[in-house]
């Protein structure tokens, strides 16, 4: 009887530890607009709040690209993204949803 519980516990522990090893989501983000991208937020689909600004104190100038790595420990692939441009820009805040596990690059256009 005890052996059966140990085996069941070991199987459950293995399942938990393998799902906890989420891979980082990595993709290239390119700003193909004429405006500076000041803030970039991501959040898994279904989460009602935006995570922290991915850029921190940095910005993405027109024509520039940056490698984005999301290390949030989640095992989801679909993320909402929010792009905020400089105040003097004529571009509105843009939002999009993508499967980041399949995405190698993302280009924001006007």
């Amino acid at each position: 009887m005890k052996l059966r519980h140990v085996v069941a516990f070991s199987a459950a522990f293995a399942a938990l530890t393998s799902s906890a090893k989420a891979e980082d989501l990595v993709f290239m983000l390119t700003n193909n607009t004429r405006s500076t991208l000041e803030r970039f937020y991501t959040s898994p689909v279904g989460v009602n709040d935006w995570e922290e600004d991915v850029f921190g104190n940095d910005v993405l100038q027109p024509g520039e690209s940056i490698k984005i790595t999301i290390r949030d420990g989640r095992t989801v692939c679909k993320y909402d993204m929010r792009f905020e441009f400089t105040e003097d820009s004529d571009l509105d805040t843009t939002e999009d949803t993508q499967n980041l596990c399949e995405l190698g690059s993302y280009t924001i256009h006007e």
Side-chain angles (χ1 to χ4, degrees):
M1 185 81 163
K2 286 185 181 181
L3 181 59
R4 194 177 326 167
H5 290 310
V6 170
V7 171
F9 175 77
S10 297
F13 182 75
L16 286 174
T17 57
S18 67
S19 66
K21 294 180 182 177
E23 291 191 30
D24 296 341
L25 298 175
V26 180
F27 63 98
M28 290 298 294
L29 175 63
T30 300
N31 180 3
N32 197 21
T33 71
R34 293 179 304 228
S35 299
T36 301
L37 184 56
E38 278 195 338
R39 288 173 292 284
F40 172 57
Y41 301 94
T42 63
S43 181
V45 170
V47 174
N48 294 328
D49 295 317
W50 292 106
E51 308 281 323
E52 293 181 28
D53 177 14
V54 174
F55 292 158
N57 292 329
D58 295 328
V59 297
L60 191 60
Q61 299 292 337
E64 289 185 341
S65 297
I66 187 171
K67 181 178 174 181
I68 302 290
T69 303
I70 300 175
R71 292 184 180 101
D72 61 8
R74 294 183 171 107
T75 58
V76 299
C77 290
K78 289 192 107 175
Y79 279 77
D80 293 323
M81 298 181 291
R82 180 179 175 96
F83 305 91
E84 295 181 1
F85 297 92
T86 55
E87 228 177 84
D88 62 348
S89 169
D90 59 348
L91 296 177
D92 294 327
T93 295
T94 302
E95 294 181 3
D96 193 9
T97 300
Q98 293 291 326
N99 181 330
L100 296 181
C101 296
E102 297 175 354
L103 191 68
S105 64
Y106 185 92
T107 301
I108 182 99
H109 300 277
E110 291 187 34

